[in-house]
Amino acid sequence: MRAAELDIVIDRVSAVPLYLQVSAQLEEAVGEGLLPPGSKLGNEVTLADHFGLSRPTMRRAIQQLVDKGLVVRKRGVGTQVVRSHVRRELALTSLYDDLQHSGAAPTTRVLQIDTVEAPPEVAAELGLEAGEGVLHLERLRLAGGEPLAVLRNWLPSWTPAPDADTLERAGLYAFLRDSGLSLQVAHQEIGARGATAQEARRLGIRTKAALLTMHRTAFSDDGRPVEVGDHAYHPDRYTFRTTLLGR
Amino acid sequence: MRAAELDIVIDRVSAVPLYLQVSAQLEEAVGEGLLPPGSKLGNEVTLADHFGLSRPTMRRAIQQLVDKGLVVRKRGVGTQVVRSHVRRELALTSLYDDLQHSGAAPTTRVLQIDTVEAPPEVAAELGLEAGEGVLHLERLRLAGGEPLAVLRNWLPSWTPAPDADTLERAGLYAFLRDSGLSLQVAHQEIGARGATAQEARRLGIRTKAALLTMHRTAFSDDGRPVEVGDHAYHPDRYTFRTTLLGR
DNA sequence: AAGTGGTCTAGACCACTTT
DNA sequence: AAGTGGTCTAGACCACTTA
């Protein structure tokens, strides 16, 4: 099926941008197999016309799919659905959100909430003086009752402070969002190392067993660092998925 | 300094798109500290005017920086440089390219090149029948003489076949690029596990020690899968860096 | 009220691929 | 030659933030 034959509904009253309305419905069509791997979408101008959009808007909708790794475009040829099963992308959400969306019934056990002197590296990343007071969180994330990850986080003292109850109900990112702090970008580094005795105990693995680690600094929409995270994942129960784009 | 005061040179004859010319020079300015963390860029309309560009083009240049996690934008406020040291982004390049750019003097030892029956999972990912013949590569990547990663790759039989010499000189991605195969998108999954005895021997670590793993499927610009990679990295010598964008 | 970025339009010209 | 995506322009109107 060509994209032009799809049932795309456009609501010009909605607050959702047109290009997102279209790209979301195209993405759904790819997911449902209405646009099977290898099929062509049809050219931008025709599609724009068909849906009653300008070419830039239609183009932007398609670009969304390119950025997600769902389709590829080639000048002179056209736009085709990538011949692969779709994978969930890596987005700026918390592990809690991720799990909730995948229906894995995540729960959180708060191990510690306290104010500490910022360790030098954390202070540097948060743009604070060494030894300045920061909020320190330590949580155990579980899915289906099984331990999934040990989460350590540091927040500068100007941020609102969550309590254990909030964290166990909603996750850190949701709390920050609800506090009016919109996290816009994060830099993260993914690696591996052996588990410490404490981590091994908490995750139910052997000491020195492989551990998947993620270190992250997240920034609010005014560019200030808001959170440093240092997480350790059970290697059999978590992986990171990303889509890479060339040229 | 505001971006409007920067020495931005625009060459309208160049084949490089204007928005890339501008974003590259802005990125450089951020890297050099001419636009320090927290500083404002100035509004789009003024900048576009100043550089003699239309607003959409100027906007696209700035969007490039947003996508790289260098700046954040906020409606009603402006565009500010993120308060962080810049990190290299995760791009669709080979490990070989990565190392070469960082000046770490990478070398490659080809351990094996042969044609094998595709393992079921690889066949599925390459869109082949199980047992179909595929090219199988096994390489050891070193940096500064130290083993860095064990690289296993599978390519469908319709792709050109590199020889050991080519792989040791240029890397797999460069070879494919030179063969006219442009890799446009890749889906990858990053995880951790314990090293097998063979991997441990090759990387100079202990059996069952932590290993950083990456599994990848790369697609050409016509959407066909071109390569499956299964890599194991020395955990002390390699990490993955990514930038995440929200909302 | 003034300033900012977010979205959308309706064109234009070009580079590349295929027929 | 025909068809495709890539780039660029010159506007318009809107939503949000700050003063």
Side-chain angles (χ1 to χ4, degrees), chain B residues 6-10 14 16-32 34-35 41 51 53 57-58 60-66 68 70 86 89:
Chain B
L6 291 172
D7 239 350
I8 303 275
V9 180
I10 292 174
S14 162
V16 179
L18 300 183
Y19 72 89
L20 279 184
Q21 293 184 34
V22 174
S23 70
Q25 291 175 70
L26 288 175
E27 186 173 349
E28 201 181 348
V30 172
E32 290 175 352
L34 295 176
L35 293 172
L41 253 59
F51 296 133
L53 300 170
T57 300
M58 188 64 225
R60 189 164 178 189
I62 297 174
Q63 190 58 44
Q64 290 280 120
L65 304 186
V66 174
K68 293 187 176 183
L70 291 175
V86 184
E89 53 176 326

Side-chain angles (χ1 to χ4, degrees), chain B residues 49-160:
Chain B
D49 230 49
H50 181 73
F51 296 133
L53 300 170
S54 68
R55 184 183 166 200
T57 300
M58 188 64 225
R59 191 174 162 71
R60 189 164 178 189
I62 297 174
Q63 190 58 44
Q64 290 280 120
L65 304 186
V66 174
D67 293 343
K68 293 187 176 183
L70 291 175
V71 305
V72 290
R73 325 189 71 181
K74 198 176 176 185
R75 181 148 39 175
V77 178
T79 305
Q80 291 178 72
V81 177
V82 163
R83 295 175 182 277
S84 132
H85 295 293
V86 184
R87 298 183 181 189
R88 193 176 55 81
E89 53 176 326
L90 196 59
L92 180 46
T93 55
S94 67
L95 172 57
Y96 191 92
D97 295 340
D98 290 354
L99 291 171
Q100 204 159 44
H101 290 147
S102 65
T107 56
T108 304
R109 190 185 311 156
V110 174
L111 303 174
Q112 200 157 4
I113 302 184
D114 51 3
T115 300
V116 301
E117 291 187 5
E121 195 195 322
V122 170
E125 290 178 279
L126 290 177
L128 306 173
E129 301 299 317
E132 217 170 317
V134 294
L135 186 65
H136 170 245
L137 309 177
E138 200 158 337
R139 294 169 291 163
L140 183 66
R141 180 62 45 85
L142 305 100
E146 300 290 324
L148 188 70
V150 178
L151 316 176
R152 273 178 303 236
N153 294 85
W154 292 265
L155 288 80
S157 52
W158 58 264
T159 60

Side-chain angles (χ1 to χ4, degrees), chain A residues 35-53:
Chain A
L35 293 172
S39 65
K40 286 203 175 181
L41 253 62
N43 75 70
E44 299 175 349
V45 180
T46 308
L47 286 176
D49 230 52
H50 181 74
F51 296 133
L53 300 169

Side-chain angles (χ1 to χ4, degrees), chain A:
Chain A
M1 182 184 293
R2 306 279 284 213
E5 298 158 23
L6 291 172
D7 241 349
I8 302 275
V9 180
I10 292 174
D11 175 7
R12 285 190 174 266
V13 180
S14 162
V16 179
L18 301 183
Y19 72 89
L20 279 184
Q21 293 185 34
V22 174
S23 70
Q25 291 176 69
L26 288 176
E27 185 172 349
E28 201 180 348
V30 171
E32 290 175 353
L34 296 177
L35 293 172
S39 65
K40 286 203 175 181
L41 253 62
N43 75 70
E44 299 175 349
V45 180
T46 308
L47 286 176
D49 230 52
H50 181 74
F51 296 133
L53 300 169
S54 68
R55 184 185 166 198
T57 300
M58 188 65 224
R59 189 174 164 71
R60 188 164 179 187
I62 297 174
Q63 190 58 44
Q64 289 280 121
L65 304 186
V66 173
D67 293 343
K68 292 187 176 184
L70 291 176
V71 303
V72 290
R73 325 188 70 181
K74 198 177 176 184
R75 189 168 1 195
V77 178
T79 306
Q80 292 178 71
V81 178
V82 163
R83 297 174 181 277
S84 133
H85 296 294
V86 184
R87 298 185 180 186
R88 191 176 57 80
E89 51 174 329
L90 195 59
L92 180 46
T93 55
S94 67
L95 173 56
Y96 190 92
D97 295 341
D98 289 354
L99 290 171
Q100 205 159 42
H101 290 148
S102 66
T107 56
T108 304
R109 190 184 313 155
V110 173
L111 304 174
Q112 200 159 4
I113 302 185
D114 51 2
T115 300
V116 300
E117 291 187 5
E121 195 195 322
V122 171
E125 290 178 281
L126 290 177
L128 305 173
E129 299 300 316
E132 219 170 316
V134 294
L135 187 66
H136 169 244
L137 309 176
E138 200 158 339
R139 294 169 292 161
L140 184 65
R141 181 60 47 85
L142 306 99
E146 300 288 325
L148 188 70
V150 178
L151 316 177
R152 273 178 304 235
N153 294 86
W154 292 266
L155 288 80
S157 52
W158 58 263
T159 60
D163 58 25
D165 211 52
T166 305
L167 288 178
E168 301 205 339
R169 268 188 299 102
L172 178 59
Y173 270 43
F175 165 74
L176 291 174
R177 212 168 20 244
D178 294 346
S179 307
L181 265 172
S182 117
L183 266 23
Q184 196 181 63
V185 61
H187 296 162
Q188 65 178 38
E189 192 158 347
I190 300 166
R193 58 173 169 78
T196 66
Q198 191 186 51
E199 287 167 337
R201 202 163 47 242
R202 287 170 170 168
L203 292 174
I205 58 180
R206 295 184 322 282
T207 300
K208 294 185 183 172
L211 211 57
L212 183 62
T213 62
M214 189 266 280
H215 188 86
R216 171 171 64 191
T217 309
F219 301 84
S220 74
D221 55 15
D222 60 359
R224 283 186 300 181
V226 170
E227 176 239 2
V228 166
D230 201 53
H231 299 179
Y233 300 89
H234 191 301
D236 298 341
R237 298 177 188 151
Y238 202 76
T239 57
F240 289 92
R241 287 179 182 158
T242 62
T243 293
L244 301 186
L245 301 175
R247 262 140 304 289

Side-chain angles (χ1 to χ4, degrees), chain B residues 30-48:
Chain B
V30 172
E32 290 175 352
L34 295 176
L35 293 172
S39 64
K40 287 203 173 178
L41 253 59
N43 77 70
E44 299 175 348
V45 180
T46 307
L47 286 177

Side-chain angles (χ1 to χ4, degrees), chain B residues 174-191:
Chain B
F175 165 73
L176 291 173
R177 210 164 27 239
D178 294 346
S179 307
L181 266 171
S182 117
L183 267 22
Q184 196 180 59
V185 61
H187 296 162
Q188 64 178 39
E189 193 157 345
I190 299 165

